[in-house]
Every structure is written in C-alpha cells, then in structure tokens.
Amino acid sequence: YLVGKLDLSMGDSEAALPRLEQAFKAMPYSPEIRYNYASALRNTGRMEEAQRHFDGLEKQQQEQSALRGLLSQLRLSPERTDIRYQIGAILLEYGNPIEGTAWLKSIFLSDPNHSEAHQALASYYERVGQSELAEGHRKYTLTVLDPD
C-alpha cells in the first residue's frame, strides 16, 4: 500500500493503481486506502469507477458518524440489543467485519433468539464463503424462531 501511495503522490497513477487495488481488496473498509484507490482510478481516466468509490467513501463516512452516535447511546443503555444490532450491521458493511460479527454475537448473550442478528450473520458468512456458519444461523432462525 505504501509504495502505491508514494507512486500516487509522485504523480505516477499508472504504477500506483495495481498496488492500491491490491490494498483495497485486502482492506476495503479503510477510508484512506479507498480514497487513494479512487484517486488513482480518477487519474487514470476510469472516472465512473472512481466516482463509485468516492460515493462509497461518502456513505462510509456518514455511517461512521452514525456509529459514533450509536456508541454514545449504548453507553447510556448498554442492555439495548437494537443498538447493538445497528452497530454490528454498520461495521459489517462499512467498518471492520470482525468487529461487526463480535457486536452481533454479543446480542446473543441477552437475546439468543434475536432473528435480525442471526439473519445478518447468515448473510455475511454466506458473502465471505463461510457456508457452514451461514447455514447454522439460517437453520437456527428457521427451526427455533419459526418452527412452523
């Protein structure tokens, strides 16, 4: 990543692009990496793709701001699973997915039947190719929460 960032700062976007693309694929939740990758795309004429990343970065920043508000609310009401769910969902999509799964799993300590958390985890695990974990959450939702 650092070599790509250096290439970009020196005006060599062509050299920077593959390095920044690799960094983005490894850490798609890093705003700094995403910004530099989008800049390299723009500088190499890939305007539409660059704009998608700049738009995604803006949405990511909005969600991070919402996340800060939710964390403040949670400090006042730590038992609220609805806030924990929102935090976990934001982190899965726009932050660190490892932290997001931890937040969602923390809900099960007080509410093991929280269907939205099970569904979010099932979707996430399916998306990252962990089908067995996805199936476990899906089955739990179907058999325990909706036995009919």
Side-chain angles (χ1 to χ4, degrees), residues 109-134:
L109 297 173
S110 60
D111 184 2
N113 297 328
H114 196 282
S115 63
E116 290 176 309
H118 281 290
Q119 291 168 356
L121 286 168
S123 295
Y124 168 73
Y125 288 133
E126 192 66 44
R127 191 170 67 231
V128 298
Q130 295 182 353
S131 300
E132 287 183 27
L133 288 172

Side-chain angles (χ1 to χ4, degrees), residues 9-22:
S9 71
M10 294 176 61
D12 192 354
S13 296
E14 291 290 339
L17 189 58
R19 293 179 174 113
L20 294 172
E21 181 176 27
Q22 182 179 17

Side-chain angles (χ1 to χ4, degrees), residues 70 73-74 76-89 100 102-118 120:
L70 290 167
Q73 289 178 35
L74 191 63
L76 300 173
S77 304
E79 74 287 349
R80 292 201 39 203
T81 57
D82 62 319
I83 295 174
R84 289 180 179 278
Y85 171 75
Q86 290 174 54
I87 291 169
W103 277 99
L104 292 172
K105 290 175 184 178
S106 77
I107 294 169
F108 301 141
L109 297 173
S110 60
D111 184 2
N113 297 328
H114 196 282
S115 63
E116 290 176 309
H118 281 290

Side-chain angles (χ1 to χ4, degrees), residues 58-97:
E58 185 177 326
K59 177 68 174 164
Q60 184 178 18
Q61 290 169 338
Q62 291 169 355
E63 293 296 331
Q64 292 294 328
S65 178
L67 182 62
R68 286 188 289 278
L70 290 167
L71 290 168
S72 294
Q73 289 178 35
L74 191 63
R75 279 191 281 280
L76 300 173
S77 304
E79 74 287 349
R80 292 201 39 203
T81 57
D82 62 319
I83 295 174
R84 289 180 179 278
Y85 171 75
Q86 290 174 54
I87 291 169
I90 288 171
L91 287 170
L92 279 184
E93 191 67 28
Y94 299 102
N96 182 327

